[in-house]
């Protein structure tokens, strides 16, 4: 069976679940358990529907994609004309930081490219530009749904995916302002924000530069070494689950910013090389942040396709990584990626990450 057949079959299945307003059912943000709005999953399915239309030329997918894209433009999805309303947890921001916005912008740019409708590009650009960017730090602040600002999003993959979304905006329609911000982020990422462990694992958090936070971390390490080591183990587990997610965004970004010095950096080489380590491969097997949430198999297949050249031999080939993801989570009886996950609605929608992969024969009969 070819990967394209899985994408098409999943889209045919999910068409029955599309609401009249164009949206799809929300999940719970995987292991985080946050009640979400339909915005995120609608954005993900929009990209897969566009791919199904490209593969088949069947207008049923085009019309479903238009309905999904139009939902993302609606006042329900963006109620105060600021950021998109992505989650409902009152203890957290409703925009889901930068990552919630990046996912929607990514989908709208794909829709603008495929459907040739500038209205999707204009919305993506508008929301991106409303996010405050600090030139000195090279970081964006979180934009709340009501238009107010929260603090800087200090999760590296959030900043990275938002930069990726910005680069996609520039690739669709030139914006000097957006391009300057993306390149400044990459400048700072190359120097400080993009950190890897000695083994090559990408560090999850951007270190808070304040003296207070440095002292607090040093004090805990000194006075509570047991707690400090436990937190390190927990974070290492999480970072392994997100490693492919980070590299996937970098692989999308690279051809859009190909002349940047980051792509020749030693730490990027280490981060890519880390996916060949047996310890890393084994760490994904029982990791709730990997196959059951972030589709690590698709992500790492894309990394192999884009960061390994003919002289390098990856531990796992593209098809082997894809088959790992499918074996863990794809349900052939329902044609959806819904097995072995606490959030089947979100994982099914995250099939969209496979749309950027080459169409190859995979291990499903």
């Amino acid at each position: 069976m070819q990967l394209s057949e899985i994408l098409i079959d999943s889209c045919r299945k999910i068409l029955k679940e599309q609401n009249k307003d164009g949206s799809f059912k929300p999940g719970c943000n995987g292991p985080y358990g946050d009640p979400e709005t339909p915005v995120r999953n609608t954005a993900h399915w929009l990209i897969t529907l566009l791919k199904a239309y490209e593969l088949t030329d069947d207008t049923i997918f085009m019309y479903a994609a238009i309905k999904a894209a139009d939902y993302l433009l609606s006042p329900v999805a963006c109620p105060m004309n600021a950021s998109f309303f992505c989650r409902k947890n009152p203890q957290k921001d409703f925009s889901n930081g930068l990552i919630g916005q990046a996912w929607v912008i990514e989908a709208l740019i794909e829709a603008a490219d495929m459907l040739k409708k500038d209205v999707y590009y204009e919305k993506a650009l508008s929301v991106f530009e409303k996010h405050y960017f600090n030139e000195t730090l090279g970081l964006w602040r979180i934009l709340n749904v009501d238009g107010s600002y929260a603090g800087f999003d200090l999760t590296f993959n959030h900043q990275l995916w938002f930069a990726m979304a910005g680069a996609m905006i520039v690739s669709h329609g030139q914006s000097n302002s957006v391009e300057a911000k993306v390149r400044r982020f990459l400048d700072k990422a190359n120097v400080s924000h993009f950190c890897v462990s000695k083994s090559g694992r990408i560090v999850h958090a951007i270190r808070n530069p304040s003296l207070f936070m440095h002292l607090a971390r040093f004090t805990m390490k000194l006075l509570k070494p047991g707690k400090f080591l436990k937190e390190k183990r927990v974070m290492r587990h999480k970072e392994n689950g997100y490693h492919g997610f980070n590299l996937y965004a970098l692989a999308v970004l690279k051809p859009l910013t190909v002349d940047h010095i980051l792509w020749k950096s030693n730490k990027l080489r280490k981060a890519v090389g880390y996916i060949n380590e047996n310890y890393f491969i084994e760490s994904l097997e029982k990791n709730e942040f990997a196959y059951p949430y972030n589709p690590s198999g698709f992500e790492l297949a894309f990394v192999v396709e884009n960061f390994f050249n003919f002289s390098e031999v990856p531990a796992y080939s593209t098809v082997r990584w894809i088959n790992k993801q499918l074996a863990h989570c794809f349900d052939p009886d329902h044609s959806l990626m819904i097995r072995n996950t606490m959030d089947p609605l979100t994982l099914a929608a995250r099939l969209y990450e496979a749309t950027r992969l080459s169409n190859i024969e995979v291990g499903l009969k």
Side-chain angles (χ1 to χ4, degrees):
M1 189 176 196
Q2 290 190 316
L3 181 59
S4 60
E5 294 177 79
I6 292 175
L7 295 171
I8 294 164
D9 289 348
S10 284
C11 282
R12 291 198 190 282
K13 184 74 174 182
I14 206 65
L15 283 176
K16 302 173 185 177
E17 303 296 325
Q18 188 171 29
N19 297 314
K20 289 183 179 180
D21 64 1
S23 67
F24 292 92
K25 292 178 183 177
C28 63
N29 201 13
Y32 300 101
D34 298 323
E36 295 193 312
T37 72
V39 167
R40 174 188 181 174
N41 285 350
T42 302
H44 292 343
W45 277 117
L46 169 56
I47 294 175
T48 315
L49 288 166
L50 291 167
K51 185 66 175 181
Y53 174 54
E54 178 188 335
L55 291 168
T56 65
D57 209 28
D58 189 335
T59 55
I60 192 172
F61 297 126
M62 180 188 72
Y63 291 130
I66 291 172
K67 286 177 65 178
D70 288 348
Y71 170 79
L72 296 176
L73 298 187
S74 73
V76 177
C78 194
M80 304 182 79
N81 200 31
S83 63
F84 295 102
F85 179 27
C86 295
R87 66 180 171 190
K88 302 177 181 178
N89 187 340
Q91 305 302 315
K92 299 179 180 179
D93 57 81
F94 293 158
S95 57
N96 194 4
L98 293 177
I99 191 64
Q101 307 307 297
W103 280 322
V104 187
I105 292 169
E106 173 193 27
L108 288 175
I109 294 300
E110 293 281 6
D113 285 344
M114 176 66 71
L115 301 173
K116 310 301 180 187
K117 289 192 174 185
D118 285 342
V119 64
Y120 303 137
Y121 164 76
E122 289 162 3
K123 183 64 175 180
L125 176 62
S126 172
V127 172
F128 187 95
E129 287 281 53
K130 286 174 183 173
H131 283 74
Y132 172 80
F133 182 75
N134 184 291
E135 184 74 18
T136 302
L137 296 177
L139 295 172
W140 285 274
R141 287 176 64 178
I142 294 168
L143 175 66
N144 292 319
V145 171
D146 65 2
S148 62
Y149 291 103
F152 292 100
D153 193 327
L154 295 178
T155 299
F156 175 68
N157 73 68
H158 290 196
Q159 293 278 347
L160 174 62
W161 273 74
F162 197 73
M164 184 198 89
M168 290 178 65
I169 288 173
V170 175
S171 73
H172 178 85
Q174 185 62 37
S175 170
N176 292 335
S177 172
V178 174
E179 183 176 10
K181 292 171 185 175
V182 170
R183 295 191 72 85
R184 178 58 180 164
F185 167 76
L186 290 175
D187 290 344
K188 293 296 291 183
N190 187 52
V191 173
S192 57
H193 301 331
F194 175 32
C195 297
V196 299
S197 67
K198 290 180 180 179
S199 61
R201 186 183 66 256
I202 297 174
V203 175
H204 194 70
I206 296 172
R207 295 284 181 240
N208 191 311
S210 72
L211 178 61
F212 173 80
M213 291 302 294
H214 282 298
L215 288 173
R217 181 175 172 81
F218 177 77
T219 300
M220 185 173 75
K221 184 176 181 180
L222 191 66
L223 300 180
K224 298 180 179 180
K227 182 179 180 181
F228 180 78
L229 289 174
K230 181 181 178 181
E231 288 189 1
K232 280 191 70 175
R233 286 194 297 271
V234 169
M235 186 53 70
R236 182 166 60 243
H237 174 77
K238 189 172 187 176
E239 287 170 348
N240 281 328
Y242 274 89
H243 192 75
F245 185 63
N246 278 296
L247 288 176
Y248 184 95
L250 287 165
V252 175
L253 254 174
K254 184 180 178 182
L256 303 178
T257 55
V258 69
D259 61 330
H260 198 276
I261 193 173
L262 176 67
W263 310 121
K264 298 179 180 178
S265 69
N266 184 55
K267 57 185 172 182
L268 177 63
R269 182 190 60 78
K270 285 179 64 178
V272 172
Y274 182 59
I275 75 170
N276 283 339
E277 298 295 328
N278 288 333
Y279 167 79
F280 168 70
I281 295 170
E282 292 169 4
S283 77
L284 300 181
E285 290 300 318
K286 295 183 179 180
N287 192 321
E288 69 275 22
F289 299 106
Y291 303 115
Y293 180 56
N294 294 311
S296 299
F298 297 152
E299 292 165 351
L300 295 166
F302 191 62
V303 172
V304 170
E305 283 193 346
N306 288 274
F307 281 124
F308 284 82
N309 59 41
F310 293 112
S311 65
E312 297 172 307
V313 181
Y316 278 17
S317 65
T318 298
V319 69
R320 192 173 179 187
W321 277 120
I322 293 172
N323 285 338
K324 289 281 283 185
Q325 182 65 45
L326 296 174
H328 272 273
C329 300
F330 191 78
D331 184 343
D333 294 331
H334 292 87
S335 298
L336 292 170
M337 201 160 59
I338 54 176
R339 293 179 61 247
N340 300 319
T341 176
M342 62 187 70
D343 189 359
L345 290 169
T346 299
L347 185 63
R350 293 191 75 175
L351 177 69
Y352 94 92
E353 290 189 34
T355 61
R356 293 185 171 102
L357 290 166
S358 300
N359 184 28
I360 57 178
E361 194 77 18
V362 295
L364 286 180
K365 303 298 183 184

